[in-house]
Each structure stands twice: as structure tokens, then as C-alpha cells.
Amino acid sequence: RDEIRQKLQINEDVPLICYLGRIVESKGVVVLLQSLISIQDHISFKLILIGSFGSNFGEKNKSIITDEEIEIKRLISILGEKCIVTGFIDEQDLPGYLSAVDIGIVPSICEDVSPLTYFQFQAMGKPTIVSDGGGIPEFYSPDYSIMVKRGPDMINELAEAICKLIENKSLQKRMAGFAVKNREYLGIERLYNDFMEAVLED
């Protein structure tokens, strides 16, 4: 944690919010940036965006720039030094970066079936803020997450949830504890057991 924070030049007392995944509108990046812009003058934080721009997986072809990417970068520029974009990070290096994070956010506005990042944050014992997109509610618990609804009020709801977690360190700590306890249930065995249960019910 200390090593990564020093590398990113983030003081220990600054809350670090993390988005992990493809940096595209459908994953809620625009909504997240808009919500943080709305509160940036009122609360201390840093945002780290881990991932590549666009819908490809892995490193991005830098010669292809879309209108969506231009808009996302415009919003990032408004946040200025409050936002750090790492680009693609190799899987073996992710735990180090996630250890430096205080709050994970999974703000999908699409019908996200089962976003891996939600489980990665849980496995690292991080409190999370998630949307109600797709299959996310099936893995949600208020013990370790706050859920916001997609729709016209999502920007405000997300901003309120972020402020709530940042301002309440005891809530952060409690949710982190539940996330760690839930870690043992994440993986292939749980997926298989849930699948078998669903099949046998029919």
C-alpha cells in the first residue's frame, strides 16, 4: 500500500477511489466522473482509473480515438490532479494497486452480467459502491456495498454514496471486514453450487 501510494504521490490521509476495467461509457465511467466533478470542491479524494480506453481487452491501439474517449478525457481534465489514469495493468500487479485503494466503484449502466471487478474489490477487502446493472444485485450485500440505481438521478446518488463512505471511516472499516469474510465464497465452487441449486430447483 505504502509503495504504490508513494509511486502515485498520494498521501495516506487522502481517500483513494478506484475504478477498474475498460474505460468506456457503458461501464459507468462518464457517470462516475460527473459525480466526482460535482463534489470535487467540497471533499478530499483521489480517483484512480485502472484500465484501457475503449472496448478492447488488454492494451489499447493508441491510433484509434473515438468521440467517447474524447469526452471521457475532457471530464478527466476537469478533475485535474484529482484523477490518475494508469492505463492497462498486468493481472499480477493488480493486487498491489488495489491494496492502496480505500473504496472500489462498479458503476455499470449496461446490463453487466457479472463484473469481475466487484469480486476483485471484495477479495481485497474493499468497501464498494455498485450500480443495479444486470446481475450485480445477485452478488450484492449491504454489508460490504452501497447500491445506487441507474437512471436520471444516478449522478447525484453516486456522489452521495461516495461522500457517505469517505466521511464515515467506521463504516468503511466495517464494510471492509464483511468483504474479507465474503472472500471465501468467491470462486468456481460457489458458481458451481449456485448453478446446481438452480438446476435442481427446476
Short mmCIF file of all heavy atoms in Angstrom, two decimals, residues 28-62:
data_model
loop_
_atom_site.label_atom_id
_atom_site.label_comp_id
_atom_site.label_asym_id
_atom_site.label_seq_id
_atom_site.Cartn_x
_atom_site.Cartn_y
_atom_site.Cartn_z
N GLY A 28 -20.09 2.93 -16.99
CA GLY A 28 -20.42 3.95 -16.00
C GLY A 28 -19.33 4.95 -15.71
O GLY A 28 -19.44 5.72 -14.75
N VAL A 29 -18.29 4.97 -16.54
CA VAL A 29 -17.16 5.87 -16.27
C VAL A 29 -17.59 7.34 -16.36
O VAL A 29 -17.20 8.17 -15.53
CB VAL A 29 -16.00 5.60 -17.25
CG1 VAL A 29 -14.89 6.63 -17.07
CG2 VAL A 29 -15.44 4.20 -17.02
N VAL A 30 -18.43 7.67 -17.36
CA VAL A 30 -18.88 9.06 -17.53
C VAL A 30 -19.69 9.51 -16.30
O VAL A 30 -19.48 10.60 -15.76
CB VAL A 30 -19.71 9.21 -18.82
CG1 VAL A 30 -20.38 10.59 -18.86
CG2 VAL A 30 -18.82 9.03 -20.05
N VAL A 31 -20.60 8.64 -15.86
CA VAL A 31 -21.41 8.96 -14.69
C VAL A 31 -20.53 9.14 -13.45
O VAL A 31 -20.74 10.06 -12.66
CB VAL A 31 -22.46 7.85 -14.44
CG1 VAL A 31 -23.20 8.08 -13.13
CG2 VAL A 31 -23.45 7.78 -15.59
N LEU A 32 -19.55 8.27 -13.29
CA LEU A 32 -18.64 8.37 -12.15
C LEU A 32 -17.88 9.69 -12.17
O LEU A 32 -17.80 10.40 -11.16
CB LEU A 32 -17.65 7.20 -12.18
CG LEU A 32 -16.50 7.26 -11.16
CD1 LEU A 32 -17.03 7.32 -9.74
CD2 LEU A 32 -15.57 6.07 -11.35
N LEU A 33 -17.33 10.04 -13.33
CA LEU A 33 -16.58 11.29 -13.43
C LEU A 33 -17.47 12.50 -13.17
O LEU A 33 -17.07 13.44 -12.47
CB LEU A 33 -15.94 11.39 -14.83
CG LEU A 33 -14.81 10.39 -15.11
CD1 LEU A 33 -14.43 10.42 -16.58
CD2 LEU A 33 -13.58 10.68 -14.25
N GLN A 34 -18.69 12.47 -13.70
CA GLN A 34 -19.62 13.58 -13.48
C GLN A 34 -19.98 13.72 -11.99
O GLN A 34 -20.09 14.84 -11.48
CB GLN A 34 -20.88 13.38 -14.31
CG GLN A 34 -20.65 13.56 -15.81
CD GLN A 34 -21.85 13.16 -16.64
OE1 GLN A 34 -22.66 12.31 -16.24
NE2 GLN A 34 -22.00 13.78 -17.80
N SER A 35 -20.15 12.60 -11.32
CA SER A 35 -20.48 12.65 -9.89
C SER A 35 -19.33 13.22 -9.08
O SER A 35 -19.54 14.01 -8.15
CB SER A 35 -20.86 11.25 -9.38
OG SER A 35 -19.74 10.39 -9.35
N LEU A 36 -18.12 12.84 -9.43
CA LEU A 36 -16.95 13.35 -8.70
C LEU A 36 -16.70 14.82 -8.99
O LEU A 36 -16.28 15.57 -8.11
CB LEU A 36 -15.72 12.51 -9.04
CG LEU A 36 -15.73 11.08 -8.46
CD1 LEU A 36 -14.57 10.27 -9.02
CD2 LEU A 36 -15.68 11.11 -6.95
N ILE A 37 -16.96 15.24 -10.22
CA ILE A 37 -16.83 16.66 -10.56
C ILE A 37 -17.78 17.49 -9.70
O ILE A 37 -17.44 18.59 -9.25
CB ILE A 37 -17.10 16.88 -12.06
CG1 ILE A 37 -15.93 16.33 -12.89
CG2 ILE A 37 -17.32 18.36 -12.38
CD1 ILE A 37 -16.19 16.26 -14.38
N SER A 38 -18.97 16.93 -9.43
CA SER A 38 -19.97 17.67 -8.66
C SER A 38 -19.58 17.87 -7.20
O SER A 38 -20.12 18.75 -6.53
CB SER A 38 -21.34 16.96 -8.74
OG SER A 38 -21.35 15.77 -7.97
N ILE A 39 -18.65 17.05 -6.69
CA ILE A 39 -18.27 17.16 -5.28
C ILE A 39 -16.80 17.51 -5.07
O ILE A 39 -16.35 17.61 -3.92
CB ILE A 39 -18.58 15.84 -4.52
CG1 ILE A 39 -17.77 14.67 -5.12
CG2 ILE A 39 -20.07 15.54 -4.53
CD1 ILE A 39 -17.90 13.37 -4.35
N GLN A 40 -16.07 17.71 -6.15
CA GLN A 40 -14.61 17.87 -6.01
C GLN A 40 -14.20 19.10 -5.20
O GLN A 40 -13.10 19.13 -4.63
CB GLN A 40 -13.95 17.92 -7.39
CG GLN A 40 -14.29 19.13 -8.22
CD GLN A 40 -13.45 19.20 -9.49
OE1 GLN A 40 -12.32 18.70 -9.53
NE2 GLN A 40 -13.97 19.80 -10.53
N ASP A 41 -15.05 20.10 -5.13
CA ASP A 41 -14.71 21.30 -4.37
C ASP A 41 -15.12 21.20 -2.91
O ASP A 41 -14.83 22.10 -2.12
CB ASP A 41 -15.38 22.53 -5.00
CG ASP A 41 -14.85 22.84 -6.39
OD1 ASP A 41 -13.67 22.53 -6.66
OD2 ASP A 41 -15.62 23.38 -7.21
N HIS A 42 -15.78 20.11 -2.55
CA HIS A 42 -16.34 20.01 -1.19
C HIS A 42 -15.72 18.89 -0.35
O HIS A 42 -15.92 18.86 0.86
CB HIS A 42 -17.86 19.78 -1.27
CG HIS A 42 -18.56 20.74 -2.18
ND1 HIS A 42 -18.63 22.08 -1.93
CD2 HIS A 42 -19.20 20.54 -3.35
CE1 HIS A 42 -19.31 22.69 -2.90
NE2 HIS A 42 -19.66 21.77 -3.78
N ILE A 43 -14.99 17.98 -1.01
CA ILE A 43 -14.47 16.84 -0.25
C ILE A 43 -13.14 16.39 -0.85
O ILE A 43 -12.91 16.50 -2.06
CB ILE A 43 -15.50 15.68 -0.27
CG1 ILE A 43 -15.17 14.65 0.80
CG2 ILE A 43 -15.61 15.04 -1.64
CD1 ILE A 43 -16.33 13.72 1.10
N SER A 44 -12.26 15.90 0.00
CA SER A 44 -10.93 15.46 -0.44
C SER A 44 -10.99 14.03 -0.96
O SER A 44 -11.58 13.15 -0.32
CB SER A 44 -9.94 15.56 0.72
OG SER A 44 -8.69 15.02 0.35
N PHE A 45 -10.37 13.79 -2.11
CA PHE A 45 -10.29 12.43 -2.66
C PHE A 45 -9.30 12.43 -3.82
O PHE A 45 -8.93 13.47 -4.36
CB PHE A 45 -11.66 11.94 -3.16
CG PHE A 45 -12.17 12.67 -4.37
CD1 PHE A 45 -11.78 12.30 -5.66
CD2 PHE A 45 -13.03 13.75 -4.23
CE1 PHE A 45 -12.23 12.99 -6.77
CE2 PHE A 45 -13.49 14.45 -5.34
CZ PHE A 45 -13.09 14.07 -6.62
N LYS A 46 -8.91 11.23 -4.20
CA LYS A 46 -8.22 10.98 -5.46
C LYS A 46 -8.93 9.83 -6.13
O LYS A 46 -9.41 8.90 -5.47
CB LYS A 46 -6.75 10.62 -5.24
CG LYS A 46 -5.88 11.76 -4.78
CD LYS A 46 -5.16 12.40 -5.95
CE LYS A 46 -4.09 13.38 -5.46
NZ LYS A 46 -3.33 13.97 -6.56
N LEU A 47 -9.01 9.88 -7.45
CA LEU A 47 -9.60 8.80 -8.24
C LEU A 47 -8.51 8.16 -9.07
O LEU A 47 -7.73 8.86 -9.72
CB LEU A 47 -10.69 9.34 -9.16
CG LEU A 47 -11.21 8.37 -10.24
CD1 LEU A 47 -11.97 7.21 -9.61
CD2 LEU A 47 -12.09 9.10 -11.25
N ILE A 48 -8.45 6.83 -9.05
CA ILE A 48 -7.54 6.11 -9.92
C ILE A 48 -8.36 5.28 -10.90
O ILE A 48 -9.24 4.51 -10.49
CB ILE A 48 -6.55 5.24 -9.11
CG1 ILE A 48 -5.58 4.52 -10.05
CG2 ILE A 48 -7.26 4.24 -8.21
CD1 ILE A 48 -4.43 3.82 -9.35
N LEU A 49 -8.12 5.49 -12.18
CA LEU A 49 -8.76 4.72 -13.25
C LEU A 49 -7.76 3.71 -13.76
O LEU A 49 -6.73 4.08 -14.34
CB LEU A 49 -9.21 5.63 -14.39
CG LEU A 49 -10.26 6.71 -14.08
CD1 LEU A 49 -10.49 7.58 -15.32
CD2 LEU A 49 -11.56 6.07 -13.63
N ILE A 50 -8.04 2.43 -13.52
CA ILE A 50 -7.14 1.37 -13.96
C ILE A 50 -7.78 0.65 -15.14
O ILE A 50 -8.85 0.04 -15.00
CB ILE A 50 -6.87 0.36 -12.83
CG1 ILE A 50 -6.25 1.07 -11.62
CG2 ILE A 50 -5.96 -0.77 -13.32
CD1 ILE A 50 -6.03 0.15 -10.42
N GLY A 51 -7.15 0.72 -16.28
CA GLY A 51 -7.69 0.05 -17.47
C GLY A 51 -7.40 0.83 -18.73
O GLY A 51 -6.83 1.93 -18.69
N SER A 52 -7.81 0.27 -19.85
CA SER A 52 -7.57 0.89 -21.15
C SER A 52 -8.83 1.57 -21.66
O SER A 52 -9.95 1.15 -21.35
CB SER A 52 -7.15 -0.19 -22.17
OG SER A 52 -5.96 -0.82 -21.77
N PHE A 53 -8.65 2.60 -22.45
CA PHE A 53 -9.77 3.23 -23.11
C PHE A 53 -10.29 2.33 -24.22
O PHE A 53 -9.51 1.66 -24.90
CB PHE A 53 -9.36 4.58 -23.72
CG PHE A 53 -9.14 5.66 -22.70
CD1 PHE A 53 -7.88 5.90 -22.18
CD2 PHE A 53 -10.19 6.44 -22.26
CE1 PHE A 53 -7.67 6.89 -21.24
CE2 PHE A 53 -10.00 7.44 -21.31
CZ PHE A 53 -8.73 7.66 -20.80
N GLY A 54 -11.59 2.31 -24.41
CA GLY A 54 -12.18 1.52 -25.49
C GLY A 54 -12.63 0.16 -25.05
O GLY A 54 -12.42 -0.26 -23.91
N SER A 55 -13.26 -0.56 -25.97
CA SER A 55 -13.90 -1.83 -25.65
C SER A 55 -13.03 -3.04 -25.89
O SER A 55 -13.48 -4.17 -25.80
CB SER A 55 -15.19 -1.98 -26.48
OG SER A 55 -16.13 -0.99 -26.11
N ASN A 56 -11.75 -2.81 -26.20
CA ASN A 56 -10.85 -3.95 -26.35
C ASN A 56 -10.39 -4.42 -24.97
O ASN A 56 -10.55 -3.74 -23.97
CB ASN A 56 -9.61 -3.55 -27.16
CG ASN A 56 -8.87 -2.39 -26.53
OD1 ASN A 56 -9.46 -1.35 -26.29
ND2 ASN A 56 -7.59 -2.58 -26.25
N PHE A 57 -9.84 -5.61 -24.92
CA PHE A 57 -9.28 -6.14 -23.68
C PHE A 57 -7.76 -6.15 -23.81
O PHE A 57 -7.22 -6.53 -24.82
CB PHE A 57 -9.80 -7.56 -23.41
CG PHE A 57 -11.26 -7.59 -23.09
CD1 PHE A 57 -12.21 -7.65 -24.10
CD2 PHE A 57 -11.71 -7.54 -21.78
CE1 PHE A 57 -13.56 -7.67 -23.80
CE2 PHE A 57 -13.05 -7.55 -21.48
CZ PHE A 57 -13.99 -7.62 -22.49
N GLY A 58 -7.07 -5.72 -22.75
CA GLY A 58 -5.63 -5.61 -22.82
C GLY A 58 -5.23 -4.20 -23.23
O GLY A 58 -6.01 -3.26 -23.09
N GLU A 59 -4.04 -4.05 -23.77
CA GLU A 59 -3.55 -2.73 -24.11
C GLU A 59 -4.25 -2.20 -25.36
O GLU A 59 -4.57 -2.94 -26.28
CB GLU A 59 -2.04 -2.77 -24.32
CG GLU A 59 -1.30 -3.16 -23.03
CD GLU A 59 0.15 -2.72 -23.06
OE1 GLU A 59 0.43 -1.64 -23.60
OE2 GLU A 59 0.98 -3.46 -22.54
N LYS A 60 -4.47 -0.89 -25.38
CA LYS A 60 -5.25 -0.24 -26.44
C LYS A 60 -4.38 0.14 -27.63
O LYS A 60 -3.22 0.50 -27.49
CB LYS A 60 -5.91 1.02 -25.86
CG LYS A 60 -6.68 1.84 -26.88
CD LYS A 60 -7.13 3.15 -26.27
CE LYS A 60 -7.91 3.99 -27.27
NZ LYS A 60 -7.10 4.41 -28.42
N ASN A 61 -4.99 0.08 -28.82
CA ASN A 61 -4.35 0.62 -30.01
C ASN A 61 -4.45 2.15 -29.94
O ASN A 61 -5.52 2.73 -30.10
CB ASN A 61 -5.06 0.10 -31.27
CG ASN A 61 -4.39 0.58 -32.55
OD1 ASN A 61 -3.65 1.55 -32.55
ND2 ASN A 61 -4.66 -0.12 -33.64
N LYS A 62 -3.35 2.80 -29.66
CA LYS A 62 -3.35 4.24 -29.39
C LYS A 62 -3.68 5.08 -30.63
O LYS A 62 -3.92 6.28 -30.53
CB LYS A 62 -2.01 4.66 -28.79
CG LYS A 62 -1.75 4.09 -27.41
CD LYS A 62 -0.43 4.56 -26.86
CE LYS A 62 -0.22 4.12 -25.42
NZ LYS A 62 -0.26 2.67 -25.26
#
